[in-house]
Amino acid sequence: MDSTKNDGTGSQEWSDLSVKEHKSLKNLKTQNLRDHMTDAELIFTALAELSTRQIAETVQAKGLKENKIPAKKGGKIAKDARISLEQKTGKRIVTSENFILPIRTKKRLNK
């Protein structure tokens, strides 16, 4: 992976996409990415966050600089799990699929 692309956040580590790239994949502008993630994307995000928090607590990381290392390690745990699942199912986890469907305009009946 290109080290200039990853700033050490667990989300980027597990998904191989920056938040900006992930939002672009889902064709989002100002919307919250998490609101548009599939169940699988949310689960892998949660795994990365949980792993990161537990590693940071174990090493007693303080501040942004020290917490980048646990974030990369926590993200790697989720990435390894994602890759394993993708290999076993043949399906990608990170997709352009949106959980929230576009808002439909209601047709009004003329009286």
Side-chain angles (χ1 to χ4, degrees):
M1 175 189 298
D2 180 2
S3 63
T4 60
K5 178 177 159 183
N6 194 319
D7 69 1
T9 63
S11 179
Q12 278 188 206
E13 187 67 32
W14 82 260
S15 68
D16 284 335
L17 295 173
S18 68
V19 171
K20 185 176 182 179
E21 291 167 331
H22 203 160
K23 286 179 79 165
S24 178
L25 176 68
K26 291 187 176 292
N27 200 27
L28 303 175
K29 303 287 186 253
T30 59
Q31 303 93 325
N32 184 313
L33 175 60
R34 195 175 289 246
D35 289 343
H36 293 269
M37 286 183 172
T38 63
D39 288 343
E41 289 170 317
L42 287 169
I43 288 167
F44 284 95
T45 298
L47 176 59
E49 291 170 351
L50 173 71
S51 301
T52 296
R53 188 182 76 244
Q54 289 185 349
I55 292 167
E57 288 170 354
T58 299
V59 300
Q60 298 178 343
K62 304 272 190 263
L64 181 62
K65 188 174 181 179
E66 282 186 31
N67 275 287
K68 281 190 173 190
I69 294 167
K72 284 189 70 97
K73 290 179 179 180
K76 175 99 169 61
I77 290 168
K79 179 180 182 172
D80 291 345
R82 173 186 60 86
I83 290 170
S84 179
L85 182 59
E86 287 176 339
Q87 288 172 343
K88 290 189 178 25
T89 64
K91 297 177 184 176
R92 295 195 45 84
I93 299 299
V94 179
T95 69
S96 60
E97 182 182 337
N98 279 317
F99 182 75
I100 296 177
L101 300 174
I103 297 172
R104 291 186 188 165
T105 57
K106 293 183 180 180
K107 291 183 180 178
R108 299 184 94 178
L109 296 175
N110 292 329
K111 292 184 178 184

